[in-house]
Amino acid sequence: DSLSRQAAITSWICWANASLDPICFLETPQGKVYDTGLKSPNKRIDTLDEMLSQKEFLVDGGFSLADVAVASYLLYVPQFFQ
């Protein structure tokens, strides 16, 4: 992979950890997860959805760890809140 592709992948992984976690898992001040923020409209999720409606993978060049990082949050939420 090129350095720019590696940087893009790293950026998405950081975004998933920093931005998706607090959207997907709402916590009490004590850190206990009590609900998901995905039940309400969210600009970041809408932007992600729009991006993925126009391309198959997050980073040009095919499937990458960026896709795994983002998908892991989004796929875990339905299992966590069943």
Side-chain angles (χ1 to χ4, degrees):
D1 284 345
S2 69
L3 290 178
S4 63
R5 180 171 156 76
Q6 290 176 20
I9 291 167
T10 300
S11 179
W12 276 109
I13 293 169
C14 291
W15 181 84
N17 291 328
S19 296
L20 276 182
D21 182 71
I23 293 169
C24 292
F25 302 104
L26 302 178
E27 297 180 1
T28 66
Q30 295 76 30
K32 182 178 178 185
V33 174
Y34 67 90
D35 205 354
T36 178
L38 292 175
K39 293 177 182 176
S40 303
N42 184 284
K43 185 177 179 178
R44 288 182 178 143
I45 298 299
D46 292 344
T47 301
L48 178 64
D49 190 46
E50 175 63 27
M51 291 175 66
L52 290 173
S53 74
Q54 298 175 26
K55 60 183 187 175
E56 190 172 4
F57 302 110
L58 292 170
V59 177
D60 292 337
F63 184 77
S64 70
L65 286 176
D67 301 291
V68 174
V70 171
S72 64
Y73 277 102
L74 299 176
L75 294 172
Y76 186 65
V77 169
Q79 293 176 21
F80 190 83
F81 292 103
Q82 283 186 357

